[in-house]
Amino acid sequence: MKKFIIGNWKMNLNVHEASLFATKLAQDVPIKRGVETVICPSSLALSPLSLQINHRQMKLGAQNCYWRDEGAFTGEIAAAQLRGLAQYVLVGHSERRHIFDEDDREIRFKVQAALRNGLTPVLCVGETETERGEGDTAHVLGDQIVSGLLNVGSDQIDDVLIAYEPVWAIGSGRTPEPNEIEEAVKMIRSQIGHMFGRNAATSVPVLYGGSVNLANAESILRAKGVSGLLIGGASLIAPEFAGMVQIAADVLKEEKDG
């Protein structure tokens, strides 16, 4: 199974800085068969970077999109407008859910918008610390998966990625233990299996995100069922990001040889 290394730059780097950083990444990031490397800059940087990067080395992802294809929605960027610029789009990131109050309905519509416009949605799911403490992780993940994929057809599920991002871990420097990640990924795959069947449960890529760095990347990538990483702050450190691409390639090779 392919490995995915996705860097979410969030609201960092202006267009000029993004270009300089992409040049640095081009020098550092290895091209590895079986590893899909994706960078998600600000929307302003997508167009220039689409002309600058080597698309064999890296793909582009958007950090967000709106679910209408056009209309009087001042300030929004439609999935339809991202066609030709990005190949991926993050949907339902915890910062969108908890800072901007995106609800399940809006997230579901964004997944649909991405798919109908030829983008791969990366559906982000995860529990808060309170929900985790109350033992509600399985219910939260199940509800977010069901809601986010409610109108996705069985012929579309292969074009979806899931990212497990426990809200309490993002930016905190704390990460779950590998066995905890495995358990959450198992819950996610179980719910996908209930909705789309056993093949989808095993084939849909499930990534982990939340305080990922070069030091913990290998142990996370070796966790059973984990297909890659969604990386925040560490994706803005070129040697760290490049190192995680190399680790993903090494883990993939071991899995194939194993």
Side-chain angles (χ1 to χ4, degrees), residues 3-8 21 25 28-30 32 34-38 208-222 227-252:
K3 298 293 184 185
F4 294 83
I5 301 295
I6 302 180
N8 177 13
F21 187 64
L25 288 179
D28 292 352
V29 172
K32 294 294 183 179
V35 179
E36 184 92 315
T37 303
V38 184
Y208 172 79
S211 294
V212 179
N213 55 50
L214 190 58
N216 61 26
E218 183 172 352
S219 63
I220 295 171
L221 283 167
R222 292 187 184 281
S227 310
L229 305 172
L230 177 56
I231 306 157
S235 70
L236 295 169
I237 305 170
E240 287 224 3
F241 189 67
M244 286 185 267
V245 174
Q246 182 62 56
I247 289 171
D250 294 343
V251 171
L252 181 64

mmCIF file of all heavy atoms in Angstrom, residues 3-8 21 25 28-30 32 34-38 208-222 227-252:
data_model
loop_
_atom_site.group_PDB
_atom_site.id
_atom_site.type_symbol
_atom_site.label_atom_id
_atom_site.label_comp_id
_atom_site.label_asym_id
_atom_site.label_seq_id
_atom_site.Cartn_x
_atom_site.Cartn_y
_atom_site.Cartn_z
ATOM 1 N N LYS A 3 2.376 4.924 0.760
ATOM 2 C CA LYS A 3 2.489 5.767 1.944
ATOM 3 C C LYS A 3 2.301 7.234 1.530
ATOM 4 O O LYS A 3 2.722 7.644 0.439
ATOM 5 C CB LYS A 3 3.856 5.604 2.618
ATOM 6 C CG LYS A 3 4.153 4.204 3.122
ATOM 7 C CD LYS A 3 3.254 3.804 4.276
ATOM 8 C CE LYS A 3 3.657 2.442 4.822
ATOM 9 N NZ LYS A 3 2.730 1.961 5.858
ATOM 10 N N PHE A 4 1.705 8.005 2.432
ATOM 11 C CA PHE A 4 1.436 9.420 2.170
ATOM 12 C C PHE A 4 2.125 10.277 3.236
ATOM 13 O O PHE A 4 1.985 10.021 4.428
ATOM 14 C CB PHE A 4 -0.064 9.699 2.198
ATOM 15 C CG PHE A 4 -0.841 9.029 1.101
ATOM 16 C CD1 PHE A 4 -1.242 7.705 1.235
ATOM 17 C CD2 PHE A 4 -1.161 9.715 -0.059
ATOM 18 C CE1 PHE A 4 -1.950 7.075 0.219
ATOM 19 C CE2 PHE A 4 -1.868 9.093 -1.079
ATOM 20 C CZ PHE A 4 -2.270 7.778 -0.943
ATOM 21 N N ILE A 5 2.858 11.272 2.784
ATOM 22 C CA ILE A 5 3.448 12.267 3.679
ATOM 23 C C ILE A 5 2.896 13.626 3.247
ATOM 24 O O ILE A 5 3.232 14.137 2.173
ATOM 25 C CB ILE A 5 4.986 12.270 3.607
ATOM 26 C CG1 ILE A 5 5.547 10.897 3.988
ATOM 27 C CG2 ILE A 5 5.554 13.369 4.500
ATOM 28 C CD1 ILE A 5 5.292 10.503 5.433
ATOM 29 N N ILE A 6 2.015 14.194 4.080
ATOM 30 C CA ILE A 6 1.328 15.438 3.729
ATOM 31 C C ILE A 6 1.720 16.520 4.725
ATOM 32 O O ILE A 6 1.586 16.341 5.942
ATOM 33 C CB ILE A 6 -0.203 15.255 3.744
ATOM 34 C CG1 ILE A 6 -0.612 14.140 2.768
ATOM 35 C CG2 ILE A 6 -0.906 16.562 3.386
ATOM 36 C CD1 ILE A 6 -2.113 13.878 2.716
ATOM 37 N N GLY A 7 2.230 17.628 4.214
ATOM 38 C CA GLY A 7 2.612 18.757 5.049
ATOM 39 C C GLY A 7 1.573 19.862 4.990
ATOM 40 O O GLY A 7 1.264 20.364 3.904
ATOM 41 N N ASN A 8 1.021 20.204 6.145
ATOM 42 C CA ASN A 8 0.031 21.279 6.239
ATOM 43 C C ASN A 8 0.732 22.528 6.772
ATOM 44 O O ASN A 8 1.065 22.615 7.946
ATOM 45 C CB ASN A 8 -1.109 20.851 7.178
ATOM 46 C CG ASN A 8 -2.135 21.948 7.381
ATOM 47 O OD1 ASN A 8 -2.161 22.947 6.659
ATOM 48 N ND2 ASN A 8 -3.000 21.775 8.355
ATOM 49 N N PHE A 21 10.835 28.397 0.182
ATOM 50 C CA PHE A 21 10.819 27.153 0.943
ATOM 51 C C PHE A 21 10.629 25.950 0.025
ATOM 52 O O PHE A 21 11.231 24.891 0.232
ATOM 53 C CB PHE A 21 9.729 27.187 2.008
ATOM 54 C CG PHE A 21 9.770 26.006 2.934
ATOM 55 C CD1 PHE A 21 10.856 25.786 3.764
ATOM 56 C CD2 PHE A 21 8.733 25.088 2.964
ATOM 57 C CE1 PHE A 21 10.909 24.687 4.609
ATOM 58 C CE2 PHE A 21 8.772 23.996 3.807
ATOM 59 C CZ PHE A 21 9.865 23.792 4.631
ATOM 60 N N LEU A 25 12.830 22.586 -0.324
ATOM 61 C CA LEU A 25 12.287 21.229 -0.311
ATOM 62 C C LEU A 25 12.723 20.451 -1.555
ATOM 63 O O LEU A 25 13.006 19.245 -1.476
ATOM 64 C CB LEU A 25 10.760 21.265 -0.231
ATOM 65 C CG LEU A 25 10.143 21.678 1.099
ATOM 66 C CD1 LEU A 25 8.618 21.675 0.979
ATOM 67 C CD2 LEU A 25 10.578 20.758 2.232
ATOM 68 N N ASP A 28 15.921 18.895 -0.902
ATOM 69 C CA ASP A 28 16.018 17.940 0.208
ATOM 70 C C ASP A 28 15.131 16.711 0.092
ATOM 71 O O ASP A 28 15.497 15.629 0.570
ATOM 72 C CB ASP A 28 15.668 18.647 1.524
ATOM 73 C CG ASP A 28 16.706 19.687 1.939
ATOM 74 O OD1 ASP A 28 17.770 19.746 1.284
ATOM 75 O OD2 ASP A 28 16.450 20.441 2.897
ATOM 76 N N VAL A 29 13.937 16.865 -0.477
ATOM 77 C CA VAL A 29 12.945 15.789 -0.460
ATOM 78 C C VAL A 29 13.274 14.734 -1.517
ATOM 79 O O VAL A 29 13.359 15.047 -2.708
ATOM 80 C CB VAL A 29 11.522 16.346 -0.693
ATOM 81 C CG1 VAL A 29 10.518 15.210 -0.877
ATOM 82 C CG2 VAL A 29 11.105 17.240 0.478
ATOM 83 N N PRO A 30 13.459 13.494 -1.103
ATOM 84 C CA PRO A 30 13.754 12.448 -2.081
ATOM 85 C C PRO A 30 12.506 12.026 -2.855
ATOM 86 O O PRO A 30 11.390 12.120 -2.341
ATOM 87 C CB PRO A 30 14.260 11.292 -1.211
ATOM 88 C CG PRO A 30 13.568 11.499 0.109
ATOM 89 C CD PRO A 30 13.430 12.987 0.281
ATOM 90 N N LYS A 32 10.595 9.011 -4.011
ATOM 91 C CA LYS A 32 10.556 7.608 -3.639
ATOM 92 C C LYS A 32 9.305 6.946 -4.217
ATOM 93 O O LYS A 32 8.184 7.422 -3.996
ATOM 94 C CB LYS A 32 10.556 7.454 -2.116
ATOM 95 C CG LYS A 32 11.839 7.926 -1.445
ATOM 96 C CD LYS A 32 13.022 7.051 -1.830
ATOM 97 C CE LYS A 32 14.289 7.471 -1.124
ATOM 98 N NZ LYS A 32 15.454 6.594 -1.492
ATOM 99 N N GLY A 34 6.233 4.815 -4.455
ATOM 100 C CA GLY A 34 5.325 4.324 -3.435
ATOM 101 C C GLY A 34 5.055 5.306 -2.322
ATOM 102 O O GLY A 34 4.224 5.041 -1.452
ATOM 103 N N VAL A 35 5.762 6.442 -2.318
ATOM 104 C CA VAL A 35 5.522 7.483 -1.317
ATOM 105 C C VAL A 35 4.984 8.724 -2.016
ATOM 106 O O VAL A 35 5.652 9.289 -2.887
ATOM 107 C CB VAL A 35 6.801 7.838 -0.534
ATOM 108 C CG1 VAL A 35 6.507 8.956 0.479
ATOM 109 C CG2 VAL A 35 7.365 6.619 0.176
ATOM 110 N N GLU A 36 3.778 9.114 -1.662
ATOM 111 C CA GLU A 36 3.154 10.327 -2.216
ATOM 112 C C GLU A 36 3.435 11.472 -1.259
ATOM 113 O O GLU A 36 2.969 11.478 -0.116
ATOM 114 C CB GLU A 36 1.650 10.119 -2.366
ATOM 115 C CG GLU A 36 0.925 11.286 -3.028
ATOM 116 C CD GLU A 36 0.814 11.137 -4.538
ATOM 117 O OE1 GLU A 36 1.830 10.761 -5.171
ATOM 118 O OE2 GLU A 36 -0.280 11.380 -5.068
ATOM 119 N N THR A 37 4.211 12.434 -1.717
ATOM 120 C CA THR A 37 4.569 13.594 -0.908
ATOM 121 C C THR A 37 3.713 14.776 -1.334
ATOM 122 O O THR A 37 3.662 15.125 -2.510
ATOM 123 C CB THR A 37 6.059 13.940 -1.077
ATOM 124 O OG1 THR A 37 6.854 12.797 -0.730
ATOM 125 C CG2 THR A 37 6.450 15.114 -0.197
ATOM 126 N N VAL A 38 3.038 15.388 -0.368
ATOM 127 C CA VAL A 38 2.083 16.458 -0.649
ATOM 128 C C VAL A 38 2.377 17.635 0.261
ATOM 129 O O VAL A 38 2.597 17.458 1.458
ATOM 130 C CB VAL A 38 0.620 15.993 -0.422
ATOM 131 C CG1 VAL A 38 -0.372 17.092 -0.816
ATOM 132 C CG2 VAL A 38 0.342 14.707 -1.197
ATOM 133 N N TYR A 208 -2.001 9.447 10.189
ATOM 134 C CA TYR A 208 -2.022 10.001 11.540
ATOM 135 C C TYR A 208 -1.461 11.417 11.509
ATOM 136 O O TYR A 208 -0.460 11.693 10.838
ATOM 137 C CB TYR A 208 -1.201 9.171 12.529
ATOM 138 C CG TYR A 208 -1.096 9.902 13.858
ATOM 139 C CD1 TYR A 208 -2.155 9.881 14.763
ATOM 140 C CD2 TYR A 208 0.012 10.703 14.151
ATOM 141 C CE1 TYR A 208 -2.102 10.613 15.937
ATOM 142 C CE2 TYR A 208 0.064 11.434 15.326
ATOM 143 C CZ TYR A 208 -1.000 11.395 16.208
ATOM 144 O OH TYR A 208 -0.967 12.146 17.350
ATOM 145 N N GLY A 209 -2.083 12.323 12.258
ATOM 146 C CA GLY A 209 -1.581 13.676 12.413
ATOM 147 C C GLY A 209 -1.756 14.145 13.840
ATOM 148 O O GLY A 209 -2.724 13.782 14.512
ATOM 149 N N GLY A 210 -0.831 14.979 14.305
ATOM 150 C CA GLY A 210 -0.917 15.509 15.667
ATOM 151 C C GLY A 210 0.439 15.478 16.339
ATOM 152 O O GLY A 210 0.850 14.425 16.841
ATOM 153 N N SER A 211 1.163 16.607 16.296
ATOM 154 C CA SER A 211 2.501 16.711 16.904
ATOM 155 C C SER A 211 3.457 15.661 16.336
ATOM 156 O O SER A 211 4.239 15.037 17.065
ATOM 157 C CB SER A 211 2.422 16.602 18.435
ATOM 158 O OG SER A 211 1.733 17.705 18.976
ATOM 159 N N VAL A 212 3.396 15.473 15.011
ATOM 160 C CA VAL A 212 4.315 14.553 14.339
ATOM 161 C C VAL A 212 5.644 15.271 14.100
ATOM 162 O O VAL A 212 5.675 16.430 13.685
ATOM 163 C CB VAL A 212 3.743 14.079 12.990
ATOM 164 C CG1 VAL A 212 4.721 13.140 12.309
ATOM 165 C CG2 VAL A 212 2.401 13.404 13.185
ATOM 166 N N ASN A 213 6.746 14.580 14.356
ATOM 167 C CA ASN A 213 8.060 15.134 14.072
ATOM 168 C C ASN A 213 9.003 14.006 13.663
ATOM 169 O O ASN A 213 8.609 12.838 13.620
ATOM 170 C CB ASN A 213 8.599 15.916 15.276
ATOM 171 C CG ASN A 213 8.613 15.074 16.543
ATOM 172 O OD1 ASN A 213 9.124 13.953 16.547
ATOM 173 N ND2 ASN A 213 8.037 15.606 17.626
ATOM 174 N N LEU A 214 10.241 14.372 13.366
ATOM 175 C CA LEU A 214 11.193 13.375 12.882
ATOM 176 C C LEU A 214 11.476 12.311 13.934
ATOM 177 O O LEU A 214 11.742 11.154 13.603
ATOM 178 C CB LEU A 214 12.493 14.070 12.467
ATOM 179 C CG LEU A 214 13.522 13.236 11.710
ATOM 180 C CD1 LEU A 214 12.932 12.663 10.419
ATOM 181 C CD2 LEU A 214 14.765 14.073 11.395
ATOM 182 N N ALA A 215 11.393 12.686 15.202
ATOM 183 C CA ALA A 215 11.717 11.751 16.282
ATOM 184 C C ALA A 215 10.665 10.658 16.447
ATOM 185 O O ALA A 215 10.997 9.521 16.809
ATOM 186 C CB ALA A 215 11.902 12.507 17.600
ATOM 187 N N ASN A 216 9.393 10.986 16.215
ATOM 188 C CA ASN A 216 8.350 9.973 16.442
ATOM 189 C C ASN A 216 7.755 9.413 15.158
ATOM 190 O O ASN A 216 6.899 8.523 15.201
ATOM 191 C CB ASN A 216 7.235 10.522 17.348
ATOM 192 C CG ASN A 216 6.525 11.741 16.755
ATOM 193 O OD1 ASN A 216 6.478 11.935 15.542
ATOM 194 N ND2 ASN A 216 5.963 12.583 17.620
ATOM 195 N N ALA A 217 8.207 9.918 14.012
ATOM 196 C CA ALA A 217 7.594 9.520 12.744
ATOM 197 C C ALA A 217 7.704 8.022 12.481
ATOM 198 O O ALA A 217 6.745 7.380 12.037
ATOM 199 C CB ALA A 217 8.227 10.301 11.592
ATOM 200 N N GLU A 218 8.863 7.438 12.766
ATOM 201 C CA GLU A 218 9.053 6.024 12.446
ATOM 202 C C GLU A 218 8.129 5.139 13.260
ATOM 203 O O GLU A 218 7.509 4.205 12.725
ATOM 204 C CB GLU A 218 10.504 5.620 12.664
ATOM 205 C CG GLU A 218 10.760 4.173 12.275
ATOM 206 C CD GLU A 218 12.238 3.796 12.297
ATOM 207 O OE1 GLU A 218 13.088 4.703 12.475
ATOM 208 O OE2 GLU A 218 12.538 2.602 12.133
ATOM 209 N N SER A 219 8.027 5.405 14.562
ATOM 210 C CA SER A 219 7.174 4.558 15.393
ATOM 211 C C SER A 219 5.711 4.677 14.976
ATOM 212 O O SER A 219 4.963 3.688 15.024
ATOM 213 C CB SER A 219 7.335 4.925 16.872
ATOM 214 O OG SER A 219 6.904 6.259 17.119
ATOM 215 N N ILE A 220 5.308 5.869 14.538
ATOM 216 C CA ILE A 220 3.921 6.051 14.086
ATOM 217 C C ILE A 220 3.700 5.327 12.763
ATOM 218 O O ILE A 220 2.695 4.631 12.576
ATOM 219 C CB ILE A 220 3.586 7.548 13.953
ATOM 220 C CG1 ILE A 220 3.642 8.235 15.319
ATOM 221 C CG2 ILE A 220 2.205 7.737 13.322
ATOM 222 C CD1 ILE A 220 3.540 9.745 15.254
ATOM 223 N N LEU A 221 4.637 5.465 11.849
ATOM 224 C CA LEU A 221 4.488 4.819 10.543
ATOM 225 C C LEU A 221 4.510 3.297 10.648
ATOM 226 O O LEU A 221 3.984 2.602 9.784
ATOM 227 C CB LEU A 221 5.595 5.295 9.590
ATOM 228 C CG LEU A 221 5.398 6.692 9.003
ATOM 229 C CD1 LEU A 221 6.677 7.187 8.341
ATOM 230 C CD2 LEU A 221 4.253 6.700 7.987
ATOM 231 N N ARG A 222 5.125 2.787 11.700
ATOM 232 C CA ARG A 222 5.156 1.335 11.903
ATOM 233 C C ARG A 222 3.909 0.824 12.622
ATOM 234 O O ARG A 222 3.716 -0.392 12.730
ATOM 235 C CB ARG A 222 6.407 0.935 12.690
ATOM 236 C CG ARG A 222 7.702 1.127 11.915
ATOM 237 C CD ARG A 222 8.898 0.569 12.664
ATOM 238 N NE ARG A 222 10.142 0.835 11.968
ATOM 239 C CZ ARG A 222 10.578 0.129 10.914
ATOM 240 N NH1 ARG A 222 9.859 -0.884 10.471
ATOM 241 N NH2 ARG A 222 11.714 0.440 10.335
ATOM 242 N N SER A 227 -1.175 4.554 7.223
ATOM 243 C CA SER A 227 -0.741 4.656 5.826
ATOM 244 C C SER A 227 0.104 5.889 5.549
ATOM 245 O O SER A 227 0.519 6.104 4.406
ATOM 246 C CB SER A 227 -1.959 4.687 4.896
ATOM 247 O OG SER A 227 -2.858 3.644 5.183
ATOM 248 N N GLY A 228 0.338 6.718 6.570
ATOM 249 C CA GLY A 228 1.122 7.916 6.333
ATOM 250 C C GLY A 228 0.924 8.932 7.433
ATOM 251 O O GLY A 228 0.341 8.636 8.486
ATOM 252 N N LEU A 229 1.398 10.144 7.182
ATOM 253 C CA LEU A 229 1.406 11.201 8.183
ATOM 254 C C LEU A 229 0.837 12.493 7.622
ATOM 255 O O LEU A 229 1.085 12.839 6.462
ATOM 256 C CB LEU A 229 2.840 11.469 8.657
ATOM 257 C CG LEU A 229 3.635 10.276 9.188
ATOM 258 C CD1 LEU A 229 5.092 10.685 9.418
ATOM 259 C CD2 LEU A 229 3.021 9.738 10.476
ATOM 260 N N LEU A 230 0.084 13.201 8.454
ATOM 261 C CA LEU A 230 -0.335 14.575 8.169
ATOM 262 C C LEU A 230 0.427 15.444 9.160
ATOM 263 O O LEU A 230 0.187 15.378 10.364
ATOM 264 C CB LEU A 230 -1.841 14.735 8.321
ATOM 265 C CG LEU A 230 -2.403 16.142 8.119
ATOM 266 C CD1 LEU A 230 -2.021 16.707 6.764
ATOM 267 C CD2 LEU A 230 -3.939 16.127 8.264
ATOM 268 N N ILE A 231 1.337 16.259 8.647
ATOM 269 C CA ILE A 231 2.342 16.924 9.472
ATOM 270 C C ILE A 231 2.075 18.428 9.497
ATOM 271 O O ILE A 231 1.866 19.050 8.445
ATOM 272 C CB ILE A 231 3.750 16.660 8.905
ATOM 273 C CG1 ILE A 231 3.978 15.155 8.756
ATOM 274 C CG2 ILE A 231 4.819 17.286 9.779
ATOM 275 C CD1 ILE A 231 5.035 14.797 7.736
ATOM 276 N N GLY A 232 2.103 19.009 10.693
ATOM 277 C CA GLY A 232 1.900 20.439 10.847
ATOM 278 C C GLY A 232 3.219 21.181 10.893
ATOM 279 O O GLY A 232 3.911 21.340 9.896
ATOM 280 N N GLY A 233 3.611 21.648 12.084
ATOM 281 C CA GLY A 233 4.788 22.505 12.223
ATOM 282 C C GLY A 233 6.060 21.925 11.655
ATOM 283 O O GLY A 233 6.880 22.649 11.070
ATOM 284 N N ALA A 234 6.257 20.621 11.797
ATOM 285 C CA ALA A 234 7.493 20.000 11.314
ATOM 286 C C ALA A 234 7.598 20.013 9.790
ATOM 287 O O ALA A 234 8.692 19.853 9.250
ATOM 288 C CB ALA A 234 7.600 18.566 11.831
ATOM 289 N N SER A 235 6.476 20.225 9.098
ATOM 290 C CA SER A 235 6.533 20.292 7.634
ATOM 291 C C SER A 235 7.166 21.591 7.157
ATOM 292 O O SER A 235 7.468 21.742 5.973
ATOM 293 C CB SER A 235 5.130 20.147 7.033
ATOM 294 O OG SER A 235 4.334 21.292 7.298
ATOM 295 N N LEU A 236 7.373 22.537 8.071
ATOM 296 C CA LEU A 236 8.020 23.805 7.744
ATOM 297 C C LEU A 236 9.508 23.778 8.067
ATOM 298 O O LEU A 236 10.182 24.811 8.004
ATOM 299 C CB LEU A 236 7.346 24.958 8.505
ATOM 300 C CG LEU A 236 5.891 25.216 8.105
ATOM 301 C CD1 LEU A 236 5.217 26.175 9.076
ATOM 302 C CD2 LEU A 236 5.816 25.755 6.683
ATOM 303 N N ILE A 237 10.018 22.592 8.401
ATOM 304 C CA ILE A 237 11.452 22.383 8.614
ATOM 305 C C ILE A 237 11.909 21.388 7.548
ATOM 306 O O ILE A 237 11.617 20.194 7.639
ATOM 307 C CB ILE A 237 11.735 21.841 10.027
ATOM 308 C CG1 ILE A 237 11.125 22.769 11.091
ATOM 309 C CG2 ILE A 237 13.237 21.677 10.248
ATOM 310 C CD1 ILE A 237 11.154 22.194 12.491
ATOM 311 N N ALA A 238 12.573 21.903 6.521
ATOM 312 C CA ALA A 238 12.865 21.082 5.344
ATOM 313 C C ALA A 238 13.571 19.763 5.663
ATOM 314 O O ALA A 238 13.153 18.708 5.166
ATOM 315 C CB ALA A 238 13.661 21.898 4.316
ATOM 316 N N PRO A 239 14.634 19.753 6.467
ATOM 317 C CA PRO A 239 15.301 18.470 6.744
ATOM 318 C C PRO A 239 14.395 17.474 7.469
ATOM 319 O O PRO A 239 14.485 16.266 7.225
ATOM 320 C CB PRO A 239 16.495 18.871 7.616
ATOM 321 C CG PRO A 239 16.719 20.323 7.345
ATOM 322 C CD PRO A 239 15.364 20.881 7.078
ATOM 323 N N GLU A 240 13.531 17.977 8.366
ATOM 324 C CA GLU A 240 12.614 17.078 9.081
ATOM 325 C C GLU A 240 11.598 16.477 8.119
ATOM 326 O O GLU A 240 11.334 15.270 8.136
ATOM 327 C CB GLU A 240 11.896 17.824 10.208
ATOM 328 C CG GLU A 240 12.772 18.147 11.393
ATOM 329 C CD GLU A 240 12.089 17.860 12.724
ATOM 330 O OE1 GLU A 240 10.944 17.361 12.739
ATOM 331 O OE2 GLU A 240 12.728 18.130 13.757
ATOM 332 N N PHE A 241 11.018 17.327 7.279
ATOM 333 C CA PHE A 241 10.013 16.843 6.334
ATOM 334 C C PHE A 241 10.628 15.832 5.372
ATOM 335 O O PHE A 241 10.062 14.762 5.124
ATOM 336 C CB PHE A 241 9.409 18.023 5.575
ATOM 337 C CG PHE A 241 8.221 17.669 4.733
ATOM 338 C CD1 PHE A 241 7.030 17.263 5.314
ATOM 339 C CD2 PHE A 241 8.279 17.753 3.348
ATOM 340 C CE1 PHE A 241 5.925 16.937 4.546
ATOM 341 C CE2 PHE A 241 7.179 17.434 2.560
ATOM 342 C CZ PHE A 241 6.005 17.027 3.161
ATOM 343 N N ALA A 242 11.808 16.171 4.843
ATOM 344 C CA ALA A 242 12.489 15.255 3.926
ATOM 345 C C ALA A 242 12.831 13.945 4.623
ATOM 346 O O ALA A 242 12.715 12.855 4.034
ATOM 347 C CB ALA A 242 13.754 15.921 3.381
ATOM 348 N N GLY A 243 13.239 14.043 5.886
ATOM 349 C CA GLY A 243 13.572 12.840 6.631
ATOM 350 C C GLY A 243 12.381 11.924 6.809
ATOM 351 O O GLY A 243 12.514 10.693 6.758
ATOM 352 N N MET A 244 11.201 12.505 6.994
ATOM 353 C CA MET A 244 10.000 11.687 7.164
ATOM 354 C C MET A 244 9.599 11.008 5.861
ATOM 355 O O MET A 244 9.062 9.900 5.872
ATOM 356 C CB MET A 244 8.874 12.539 7.745
ATOM 357 C CG MET A 244 9.091 12.845 9.224
ATOM 358 S SD MET A 244 7.736 13.738 10.022
ATOM 359 C CE MET A 244 8.290 15.424 9.822
ATOM 360 N N VAL A 245 9.865 11.664 4.734
ATOM 361 C CA VAL A 245 9.626 11.015 3.440
ATOM 362 C C VAL A 245 10.530 9.792 3.309
ATOM 363 O O VAL A 245 10.090 8.715 2.871
ATOM 364 C CB VAL A 245 9.871 12.000 2.278
ATOM 365 C CG1 VAL A 245 9.773 11.283 0.936
ATOM 366 C CG2 VAL A 245 8.870 13.158 2.327
ATOM 367 N N GLN A 246 11.793 9.941 3.694
ATOM 368 C CA GLN A 246 12.729 8.821 3.618
ATOM 369 C C GLN A 246 12.320 7.691 4.553
ATOM 370 O O GLN A 246 12.378 6.511 4.181
ATOM 371 C CB GLN A 246 14.134 9.299 3.973
ATOM 372 C CG GLN A 246 15.193 8.220 3.885
ATOM 373 C CD GLN A 246 15.348 7.667 2.488
ATOM 374 O OE1 GLN A 246 15.598 8.410 1.540
ATOM 375 N NE2 GLN A 246 15.191 6.346 2.331
ATOM 376 N N ILE A 247 11.894 8.032 5.768
ATOM 377 C CA ILE A 247 11.443 7.004 6.712
ATOM 378 C C ILE A 247 10.248 6.242 6.140
ATOM 379 O O ILE A 247 10.174 5.010 6.243
ATOM 380 C CB ILE A 247 11.078 7.644 8.065
ATOM 381 C CG1 ILE A 247 12.342 8.122 8.777
ATOM 382 C CG2 ILE A 247 10.323 6.652 8.949
ATOM 383 C CD1 ILE A 247 12.075 8.961 10.006
ATOM 384 N N ALA A 248 9.310 6.970 5.540
ATOM 385 C CA ALA A 248 8.139 6.314 4.940
ATOM 386 C C ALA A 248 8.566 5.335 3.858
ATOM 387 O O ALA A 248 8.017 4.224 3.758
ATOM 388 C CB ALA A 248 7.188 7.359 4.373
ATOM 389 N N ALA A 249 9.540 5.733 3.061
ATOM 390 C CA ALA A 249 10.038 4.843 2.010
ATOM 391 C C ALA A 249 10.688 3.606 2.611
ATOM 392 O O ALA A 249 10.504 2.480 2.109
ATOM 393 C CB ALA A 249 11.028 5.598 1.123
ATOM 394 N N ASP A 250 11.453 3.781 3.685
ATOM 395 C CA ASP A 250 12.114 2.640 4.330
ATOM 396 C C ASP A 250 11.101 1.674 4.932
ATOM 397 O O ASP A 250 11.238 0.446 4.804
ATOM 398 C CB ASP A 250 13.069 3.151 5.424
ATOM 399 C CG ASP A 250 14.248 3.941 4.873
ATOM 400 O OD1 ASP A 250 14.517 3.833 3.666
ATOM 401 O OD2 ASP A 250 14.875 4.682 5.652
ATOM 402 N N VAL A 251 10.092 2.218 5.595
ATOM 403 C CA VAL A 251 9.052 1.376 6.201
ATOM 404 C C VAL A 251 8.288 0.618 5.113
ATOM 405 O O VAL A 251 7.999 -0.579 5.263
ATOM 406 C CB VAL A 251 8.092 2.221 7.055
ATOM 407 C CG1 VAL A 251 6.889 1.389 7.502
ATOM 408 C CG2 VAL A 251 8.830 2.780 8.276
ATOM 409 N N LEU A 252 7.967 1.308 4.036
ATOM 410 C CA LEU A 252 7.249 0.668 2.924
ATOM 411 C C LEU A 252 8.061 -0.465 2.343
ATOM 412 O O LEU A 252 7.523 -1.548 2.045
ATOM 413 C CB LEU A 252 6.918 1.715 1.859
ATOM 414 C CG LEU A 252 6.150 1.227 0.636
ATOM 415 C CD1 LEU A 252 4.770 0.726 1.040
ATOM 416 C CD2 LEU A 252 6.015 2.351 -0.402
#
